[in-house]
Structure formats: structure tokens, C-alpha cells
Amino acid sequence: MGFLFWKKKNKDAPEASPAEVAPELEQTPDIVASSHVEVAAEVETAQPEPAAEKPIEVAAEVEVAAEVEVAAEVETAQPEPAALPLEVPEPQVQAPPAALEAIELPKRSFVKGIKSLFTRIKFDPENLDELEDVLIQADFGVAAAEKIVTAVKERAKKTGASTEAELKDLLAEIITENLERADKGLNLDSGKLPYVILVVGVNGVGKTTTIGKLSKWLSESNSNVVIAAADTFRAAAVEQIATWADRSGARLIRPKTEGQDPASVAYEASEIAVREKADVLIIDTAGRLQNKVDLMNELEKIRRVIEKNAEIAEVLLVIDATTGQNGMAQAKAFAEVAKVTGVALTKLDGTAKGGIVYSIQTELGIPVKLVGVGEGIADFAFFDAAEFAKGLVE
């Protein structure tokens, strides 16, 4: 299936100049000056002419005094220019919000990588007890298996389905309906860059591989990806993530010293991602065992320091599909402390125990978002309920 990745189209909007905002303010002095000239002209033409026949000096003095008096009256009567407002509020110019553009990322399919649950049994419409056993063995859980089989029986009775092909179609349909979720995609549509993806999980489940595959997928859309090597507890961890970063074309932020505080690496990476306007920042973390309180506290510290610079868009919990119900215990522990928003299920191609997907989504309410079906950098896809159900029953 395709996936839309929303990025800012224009990151910098030009500000309007003062002349563009209020050109009328620049013309005000000229208007006031012209009003003074007009008033002065009117006064000059309005002055009375002296009397024609006044030969004696006394009359001249009276005339001069009259002129002085008239001039004083005219001066005092001269209208004052219109007063300008004492304070001209500066116009508030707000840059328009940057437009978002949707980028269609490469499509990936994983249906061929899933092993069918029913390679050795035959569907019998009169006896579906064996179907329930298979679902339990595939880690759907006892309650879920019973519910699914009951639904298949009821729908088969209503539709008249009786052949193996028809029963398989009904089973796939019911599984799809129960697993389909609106929030199965990554949270990459807010436009608040960089999108920060925190990747958590115990050691050995495939965190580093998942990060490399996800980074490559994002880079294929010309996205600027930064990876933080915050797994500083294992000596080989940084080199492993460096290899995947190089293969995917992402920039890697390494610890400056061996054993450096993981939170400080994450903080530095978030600063760089913000400053360089990266599209996505992926944080690799050490294996957080659910019985290690100090490691869980460290994970919470990483989260706090990142949020000083950017929002966390996604917290992905990586689970090995081969661990079965043990993966449920991990999911429950991480959901409590890490605010998990989605699950990346790895090694789905190496087992027919994919029912863990069903348990995680129905029992914990956490969507499975990514699946890994191989070791190659392209062996990665977004979870699709219909594809998953089809792969299980065929």
C-alpha cells in the first residue's frame, strides 16, 4: 500500500515591508505642508489696503498700528493644521502558515513473506475444532481463537459456505475486520518538523535493522533523515547503526565518548535536526528490559530532553514475532512507561506465529504499524490487515 508523507512546502515566508503595509503614512507630511501654504495664501490676499488720502503723519502711525493689529488678529486666527495621531500602531504582519505537500512514498508488500497457518490441515465445515487449535498455536490466544471460530461458523451458516476455499475466505474476512484500524499509519502528517521517531525494545528484536529499513524508505522520497545512536551501552551498537545509516543515506549523530549518557546524544541530535531543518529524526535506544527499572527511567529521561527541542511524533516498540506471547509481556511493560504509539513486528517471515499481531491490537489497543519480512533493506512494509489475513490462510 502507498503512504503519504506530509512536509512543509515553503519553510520561510517573506515579511511585508513598512511601505507595503502602510504607504499612506509616508504621504502624511506632504499633506500637512500643503495645508499651511493654502492658509497662508488666503491670509495674504485677505489683508485690507491702506486708505488713499491720509497725508498727515498721525494718520500714518494709525495706519501702521492698524496693520499691526490686523496682522496680529490674522496670526491668532490662523487655523491650526490637523493634528496627527500621537501613536500610530504598527501593523501586525503575520507570515502565512507554510503549506504542506503530500509525498507518495514507495509501496511495499509483505503478503508473500508470511507463512500460511494451514499447510497441513484441511478445512472441514462440519468440524472446525482443528481450526481453533491452529489459531491457538499461532499465538492468537485462547479467547481470540474461540471468538474467531464461532464467527466463522455463524457466517458460514448464513452464507452457505462449505468448500475449503470459501471457509478460508470467511476466515480471512473476519481476521481483517478485527485487525483493521484507522491509526495504522505513522504520524507523519502534522507538518511539525522534524518528525521525531523514538524506537524502543529489548536487545535482539531487530531495532537497528528496523531503523535502517525505515530510514531507507524515507530517503527514497528525498527526505532529510537524521539518526541518533543513543544505544551507548553496547560497544558494537554504534557501528551497527552506522552501517545502516550509511546504506540508507541518513546522517548519523554519534556519541562523542564511549559510554556517553544516551540522553545527551538524543538531545544533541534533536538540536541538530531542528537547526538543519531535517524532516525526520530517528532515535535508537538501548535494549530496555522490562525488569530493569533504571533502564526504563533512562528511557523516560531521553523522552524529556528531546521534548525540549521538538515534539515526539511516534514511539515504536519493536517486537520479534517469533517470541509469541512473550512479546505481549514486553508490549505491556513498554506501554506503561514509554507511551508507545505503534508496534514494528520483525521476523514475521520466519514463523507462522503471527497471531501476536491480533493479541497486541485487540488486548492492548496498540496498532501494529510496520512489519519486517527479511534481512534486506527493502524487506519492510506497513501493516495491512487484508494482506496479513490473506497470507495466513492461503
Side-chain angles (χ1 to χ4, degrees):
M1 75 182 203
F3 190 85
L4 292 181
F5 173 64
W6 291 85
K7 295 166 56 177
K8 291 182 181 177
K9 194 171 185 179
N10 296 313
K11 295 184 178 179
D12 299 312
E15 295 184 356
S17 64
E20 293 175 341
V21 175
E24 67 275 7
L25 295 180
E26 296 181 359
Q27 300 174 0
T28 303
D30 295 338
I31 294 173
V32 175
S34 62
S35 66
H36 279 290
V37 174
E38 291 176 2
V39 172
E42 290 177 1
V43 171
E44 183 177 353
T45 56
Q47 289 182 354
E49 295 181 359
E53 297 181 358
K54 298 288 181 177
I56 60 176
E57 294 181 0
V58 174
E61 292 177 0
V62 172
E63 181 179 349
V64 172
E67 290 180 358
V68 172
E69 184 177 349
V70 170
E73 291 178 357
V74 170
E75 183 176 354
T76 58
Q78 186 174 355
E80 296 181 358
L84 290 175
L86 297 178
E87 295 183 1
V88 180
E90 296 183 0
Q92 300 295 324
V93 181
Q94 295 183 351
L100 300 181
E101 57 179 346
I103 300 175
E104 182 75 20
L105 289 164
K107 296 180 179 180
R108 301 248 203 268
S109 176
F110 65 95
V111 65
K112 293 181 180 179
I114 302 176
K115 289 186 177 181
S116 173
L117 299 176
F118 308 105
T119 55
R120 297 181 181 178
I121 72 168
K122 184 176 182 178
F123 274 75
D124 183 354
E126 301 299 328
N127 183 11
L128 292 176
D129 292 339
E130 194 173 3
L131 169 59
E132 185 175 328
D133 293 338
V134 171
L135 292 175
I136 293 173
Q137 293 171 11
D139 285 324
F140 276 80
V142 175
E146 291 178 354
K147 182 179 178 180
I148 292 172
V149 171
T150 299
V152 171
K153 289 179 180 179
E154 291 176 352
R155 199 165 297 187
K157 186 176 181 179
K158 289 181 180 180
T159 61
S162 59
T163 66
E164 182 173 342
E166 290 173 338
L167 291 172
K168 282 186 175 182
D169 288 342
L170 286 181
L171 176 60
E173 184 179 287
I174 292 169
I175 292 176
T176 300
E177 291 172 0
N178 290 330
L179 291 181
E180 190 61 47
R181 294 177 61 111
D183 57 352
K184 62 184 178 182
L186 289 178
N187 297 319
L188 301 177
D189 55 2
S190 68
K192 298 178 180 179
L193 305 182
Y195 297 112
V196 180
I197 301 176
L198 187 63
V199 182
V200 301
V202 300
N203 287 331
V205 294
K207 291 194 311 296
T208 304
T209 303
T210 299
I211 290 172
K213 292 177 180 181
L214 179 58
S215 176
K216 176 63 176 178
W217 177 74
L218 291 166
S219 297
E220 287 175 0
S221 67
N222 295 321
S223 298
N224 181 7
V225 181
V226 175
I227 297 175
D231 182 357
T232 61
F233 293 124
R234 292 187 302 123
V238 175
E239 296 308 317
Q240 289 173 355
I241 195 66
T243 300
W244 283 98
D246 183 63
R247 293 178 63 187
S248 64
R251 177 178 178 182
L252 180 69
I253 306 302
R254 295 169 171 262
K256 291 183 171 59
T257 59
E258 185 176 351
Q260 181 178 338
D261 181 7
S264 68
V265 178
Y267 182 76
E268 179 187 358
S270 65
E271 283 190 320
I272 292 173
V274 170
R275 183 171 64 248
E276 298 185 359
K277 298 181 180 180
D279 296 310
V280 181
L281 169 62
I282 305 176
I283 310 289
D284 183 25
T285 64
R288 310 291 172 179
L289 298 176
Q290 58 268 29
N291 59 345
K292 298 289 186 181
V293 177
D294 55 339
L295 292 181
M296 289 298 187
N297 291 338
E298 180 63 36
L299 181 59
E300 180 60 28
K301 180 181 177 182
I302 290 175
R303 185 185 187 97
R304 288 198 310 271
V305 299
I306 291 173
E307 289 176 338
K308 294 180 183 295
N309 295 317
E311 293 183 11
I312 295 180
E314 196 82 56
V315 179
L316 286 179
L317 170 61
V318 182
I319 295 179
D320 184 342
T322 63
T323 60
Q325 288 299 312
N326 189 39
M328 277 295 295
Q330 297 174 19
K332 289 178 181 178
F334 278 99
E336 293 175 359
V337 299
K339 301 178 183 178
V340 175
T341 58
V343 169
L345 198 62
T346 62
K347 306 176 187 179
L348 195 59
D349 57 323
T351 178
K353 299 168 73 67
I356 186 65
V357 174
Y358 196 96
S359 299
I360 290 172
Q361 292 203 162
T362 57
E363 293 184 31
L364 298 182
I366 302 174
V368 174
K369 298 192 174 187
L370 310 178
V371 291
V373 289
E375 292 298 324
I377 198 167
D379 297 332
F380 152 87
F382 284 90
F383 179 75
D384 182 272
E387 276 197 5
F388 176 71
K390 181 180 178 182
L392 288 179
V393 302
E394 287 189 347

